[in-house]
Protein backbone atom coordinates (compact mmCIF):
# COMPACT_ATOMS: atom_id res chain seq x y z
CA UNK A 1 0.00 0.00 0.00
CA UNK A 2 1.27 3.43 -0.87
CA UNK A 3 2.23 5.37 2.23
CA UNK A 4 0.82 8.90 2.63
CA UNK A 5 3.39 11.49 1.71
CA UNK A 6 4.49 13.82 4.50
CA UNK A 7 6.64 16.83 3.67
CA UNK A 8 9.88 17.10 5.62
CA UNK A 9 11.00 20.06 7.69
CA UNK A 10 13.11 21.24 4.74
CA UNK A 11 10.14 21.42 2.40
CA UNK A 12 8.05 23.17 5.05
CA UNK A 13 10.79 25.73 5.68
CA UNK A 14 11.13 26.28 1.92
CA UNK A 15 7.38 26.89 1.57
CA UNK A 16 7.35 29.43 4.42
CA UNK A 17 10.49 31.08 3.08
CA UNK A 18 8.78 31.46 -0.30
CA UNK A 19 5.84 33.15 1.42
CA UNK A 20 8.16 35.68 3.08
CA UNK A 21 9.96 36.47 -0.17
CA UNK A 22 6.70 36.72 -2.10
CA UNK A 23 5.28 39.08 0.53
CA UNK A 24 8.40 41.26 0.27
CA UNK A 25 8.11 41.30 -3.52
CA UNK A 26 4.45 42.32 -3.20
CA UNK A 27 5.45 45.05 -0.74
CA UNK A 28 8.01 46.38 -3.25
CA UNK A 29 5.36 46.47 -5.98
CA UNK A 30 2.98 48.29 -3.61
CA UNK A 31 5.60 50.92 -2.81
CA UNK A 32 6.45 51.32 -6.49
CA UNK A 33 2.81 51.94 -7.41
CA UNK A 34 1.98 54.08 -4.38
CA UNK A 35 5.05 56.34 -4.60
CA UNK A 36 5.58 56.30 -8.37
CA UNK A 37 4.96 60.02 -8.82
CA UNK A 38 7.48 60.89 -6.10
CA UNK A 39 10.24 58.51 -7.23
CA UNK A 40 13.05 59.30 -9.63
CA UNK A 41 13.57 57.11 -12.68
CA UNK A 42 16.48 55.38 -10.94
CA UNK A 43 14.39 54.70 -7.83
CA UNK A 44 11.62 53.19 -9.98
CA UNK A 45 14.08 50.88 -11.72
CA UNK A 46 15.57 49.80 -8.39
CA UNK A 47 12.14 49.16 -6.85
CA UNK A 48 11.09 47.12 -9.89
CA UNK A 49 14.36 45.16 -9.78
CA UNK A 50 13.87 44.39 -6.07
CA UNK A 51 10.32 43.17 -6.71
CA UNK A 52 11.48 40.89 -9.53
CA UNK A 53 14.45 39.53 -7.58
CA UNK A 54 12.39 38.64 -4.52
CA UNK A 55 9.75 37.05 -6.71
CA UNK A 56 12.59 34.93 -8.13
CA UNK A 57 13.65 34.03 -4.59
CA UNK A 58 10.08 32.98 -3.79
CA UNK A 59 9.94 30.76 -6.88
CA UNK A 60 13.34 29.30 -5.96
CA UNK A 61 12.01 28.30 -2.55
CA UNK A 62 8.76 26.91 -3.90
CA UNK A 63 10.52 24.81 -6.55
CA UNK A 64 13.01 23.20 -4.18
CA UNK A 65 11.58 19.72 -4.81
CA UNK A 66 12.15 19.62 -8.56
CA UNK A 67 13.40 16.27 -9.84
CA UNK A 68 16.79 15.82 -11.59
CA UNK A 69 15.11 15.07 -14.92
CA UNK A 70 13.98 18.72 -15.11
CA UNK A 71 17.61 19.65 -15.78
CA UNK A 72 16.92 22.70 -17.98
CA UNK A 73 14.58 24.21 -15.40
CA UNK A 74 17.10 23.49 -12.64
CA UNK A 75 19.83 25.31 -14.58
CA UNK A 76 17.62 28.35 -15.13
CA UNK A 77 16.60 28.23 -11.46
CA UNK A 78 20.24 28.15 -10.37
CA UNK A 79 21.33 31.00 -12.64
CA UNK A 80 18.34 33.16 -11.63
CA UNK A 81 19.01 32.60 -7.93
CA UNK A 82 22.72 33.45 -8.17
CA UNK A 83 21.92 36.54 -10.25
CA UNK A 84 19.33 37.58 -7.68
CA UNK A 85 21.81 37.35 -4.81
CA UNK A 86 24.37 39.36 -6.79
CA UNK A 87 21.79 42.05 -7.57
CA UNK A 88 20.67 42.35 -3.94
CA UNK A 89 24.29 42.56 -2.77
CA UNK A 90 25.15 45.25 -5.34
CA UNK A 91 22.00 47.28 -4.67
CA UNK A 92 22.80 47.33 -0.97
CA UNK A 93 26.45 48.07 -1.72
CA UNK A 94 25.29 51.38 -3.25
CA UNK A 95 24.37 52.46 0.28
CA UNK A 96 27.87 52.12 1.69
CA UNK A 97 28.65 55.83 1.21
CA UNK A 98 25.44 56.80 3.01
CA UNK A 99 26.15 54.35 5.83
CA UNK A 100 29.72 55.62 6.21
CA UNK A 101 28.57 59.25 6.28
CA UNK A 102 25.89 58.44 8.86
CA UNK A 103 28.29 56.56 11.15
CA UNK A 104 29.31 58.51 14.25
CA UNK A 105 30.96 56.44 16.99
CA UNK A 106 29.73 58.90 19.60
CA UNK A 107 26.13 58.09 18.60
CA UNK A 108 25.28 54.48 19.45
CA UNK A 109 22.31 54.26 17.08
CA UNK A 110 24.54 55.04 14.09
CA UNK A 111 26.83 52.19 15.13
CA UNK A 112 23.83 49.85 15.31
CA UNK A 113 22.78 50.94 11.83
CA UNK A 114 26.25 50.37 10.37
CA UNK A 115 26.61 46.98 12.06
CA UNK A 116 23.21 45.82 10.81
CA UNK A 117 24.15 46.88 7.28
CA UNK A 118 27.58 45.20 7.42
CA UNK A 119 26.28 41.94 8.88
CA UNK A 120 23.56 41.74 6.23
CA UNK A 121 26.05 42.25 3.42
CA UNK A 122 28.42 39.63 4.78
CA UNK A 123 25.53 37.16 5.20
CA UNK A 124 24.35 37.67 1.61
CA UNK A 125 27.93 37.22 0.37
CA UNK A 126 28.25 33.97 2.33
CA UNK A 127 25.05 32.58 0.82
CA UNK A 128 26.30 33.54 -2.64
CA UNK A 129 29.66 31.83 -2.08
CA UNK A 130 27.92 28.77 -0.65
CA UNK A 131 25.44 28.32 -3.47
CA UNK A 132 27.68 29.28 -6.39
CA UNK A 133 30.93 27.61 -5.34
CA UNK A 134 30.50 25.27 -2.35
CA UNK A 135 27.21 23.49 -3.08
CA UNK A 136 28.37 22.08 -6.46
CA UNK A 137 31.41 20.54 -4.69
CA UNK A 138 29.96 19.24 -1.43
CA UNK A 139 32.38 16.32 -1.30
CA UNK A 140 35.34 18.71 -1.45
CA UNK A 141 34.03 21.25 1.08
CA UNK A 142 31.80 19.30 3.53
CA UNK A 143 32.54 21.59 6.50
CA UNK A 144 32.08 24.81 4.56
CA UNK A 145 28.75 23.47 3.26
CA UNK A 146 27.50 23.56 6.85
CA UNK A 147 29.45 26.49 8.24
CA UNK A 148 28.60 29.09 5.60
CA UNK A 149 24.79 28.86 5.74
CA UNK A 150 24.96 28.52 9.55
CA UNK A 151 27.03 31.70 9.87
CA UNK A 152 24.76 33.46 7.37
CA UNK A 153 21.69 32.47 9.40
CA UNK A 154 23.24 33.85 12.60
CA UNK A 155 24.28 37.09 10.89
CA UNK A 156 20.81 37.65 9.42
CA UNK A 157 19.30 37.02 12.85
CA UNK A 158 21.70 39.48 14.50
CA UNK A 159 20.97 42.07 11.81
CA UNK A 160 17.23 41.70 12.41
CA UNK A 161 17.75 42.15 16.15
CA UNK A 162 19.89 45.27 15.60
CA UNK A 163 17.31 46.81 13.27
CA UNK A 164 14.58 45.97 15.79
CA UNK A 165 16.55 47.84 18.47
CA UNK A 166 16.92 50.79 16.14
CA UNK A 167 13.23 50.83 15.37
CA UNK A 168 11.69 50.17 18.76
CA UNK A 169 14.19 51.97 21.00
CA UNK A 170 15.42 54.83 18.83
CA UNK A 171 12.46 55.09 16.47
CA UNK A 172 14.77 54.84 13.46
CA UNK A 173 13.83 52.58 10.56
CA UNK A 174 15.67 51.67 7.41
CA UNK A 175 12.55 52.41 5.33
CA UNK A 176 10.92 55.79 4.77
CA UNK A 177 8.49 55.38 7.66
CA UNK A 178 8.16 53.55 10.97
CA UNK A 179 5.27 51.44 9.69
CA UNK A 180 7.04 50.44 6.49
CA UNK A 181 10.12 49.39 8.44
CA UNK A 182 8.01 47.38 10.91
CA UNK A 183 6.27 45.56 8.05
CA UNK A 184 9.00 45.05 5.46
CA UNK A 185 12.17 44.38 7.42
CA UNK A 186 10.92 41.24 9.21
CA UNK A 187 9.83 39.86 5.83
CA UNK A 188 13.28 40.54 4.40
CA UNK A 189 15.18 38.95 7.26
CA UNK A 190 12.85 36.02 7.89
CA UNK A 191 13.04 35.15 4.21
CA UNK A 192 16.83 34.97 4.31
CA UNK A 193 16.88 33.24 7.68
CA UNK A 194 14.52 30.62 6.26
CA UNK A 195 16.69 30.28 3.16
CA UNK A 196 19.78 29.70 5.29
CA UNK A 197 17.91 27.11 7.37
CA UNK A 198 16.72 25.41 4.18
CA UNK A 199 20.32 24.94 3.03
CA UNK A 200 21.18 23.37 6.38
CA UNK A 201 18.37 20.81 6.44
CA UNK A 202 18.69 17.35 4.78
CA UNK A 203 17.19 16.94 1.28
CA UNK A 204 13.61 15.80 0.74
CA UNK A 205 13.45 11.99 0.37
CA UNK A 206 11.92 10.45 -2.71
CA UNK A 207 8.40 9.15 -1.93
CA UNK A 208 8.13 5.35 -1.99
CA UNK A 209 5.21 3.18 -2.98
Amino acid sequence: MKQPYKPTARLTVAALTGVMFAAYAAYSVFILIRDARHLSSTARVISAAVAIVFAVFALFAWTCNLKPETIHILIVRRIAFVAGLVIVFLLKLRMITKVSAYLDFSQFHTVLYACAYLLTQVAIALLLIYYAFILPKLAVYPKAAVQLPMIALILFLLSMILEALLLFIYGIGTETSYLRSAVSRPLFFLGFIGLSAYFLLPPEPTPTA
Side-chain angles (χ1 to χ4, degrees), residues 32 39-53 87 91:
L32 178 60
L39 296 175
S40 65
S41 298
T42 301
R44 292 194 198 99
V45 171
I46 291 174
S47 295
V50 169
I52 293 171
V53 166
I87 290 171
L91 287 178

Side-chain angles (χ1 to χ4, degrees), residues 29-41 43-44:
V29 172
F30 169 76
I31 296 303
L32 178 60
I33 295 173
R34 181 183 177 88
D35 297 346
R37 69 180 66 178
H38 306 297
L39 296 175
S40 65
S41 298
R44 292 194 198 99

Side-chain angles (χ1 to χ4, degrees), residues 85-86 88-90 92 117-134 148-149 151-152 155-156 192:
L85 286 177
V86 171
V88 171
F89 182 85
L90 292 179
K92 289 186 67 64
Y117 169 82
L118 180 61
L119 293 179
T120 301
Q121 282 294 81
V122 172
I124 293 172
L126 289 177
L127 284 186
L128 179 59
I129 293 170
Y130 164 80
Y131 191 79
F133 303 105
I134 303 300
L148 263 63
I151 295 171
L155 293 182
F156 282 125
F192 278 110

Side-chain angles (χ1 to χ4, degrees), residues 69-140:
E69 56 266 22
T70 57
I71 185 65
H72 298 297
I73 298 177
L74 288 171
I75 291 173
V76 171
R77 177 177 178 267
R78 178 179 179 82
I79 292 172
F81 180 71
V82 171
L85 286 177
V86 171
I87 290 171
V88 171
F89 182 85
L90 292 179
L91 287 178
K92 289 186 67 64
L93 190 62
R94 294 174 65 255
M95 297 174 56
I96 193 168
T97 303
K98 175 184 175 182
V99 174
S100 300
Y102 185 66
L103 178 61
D104 180 353
F105 288 102
S106 65
Q107 301 291 326
F108 187 60
H109 64 276
T110 69
V111 177
L112 288 179
Y113 182 86
C115 287
Y117 169 82
L118 180 61
L119 293 179
T120 301
Q121 282 294 81
V122 172
I124 293 172
L126 289 177
L127 284 186
L128 179 59
I129 293 170
Y130 164 80
Y131 191 79
F133 303 105
I134 303 300
L135 188 60
K137 300 179 180 179
L138 284 178
V140 181

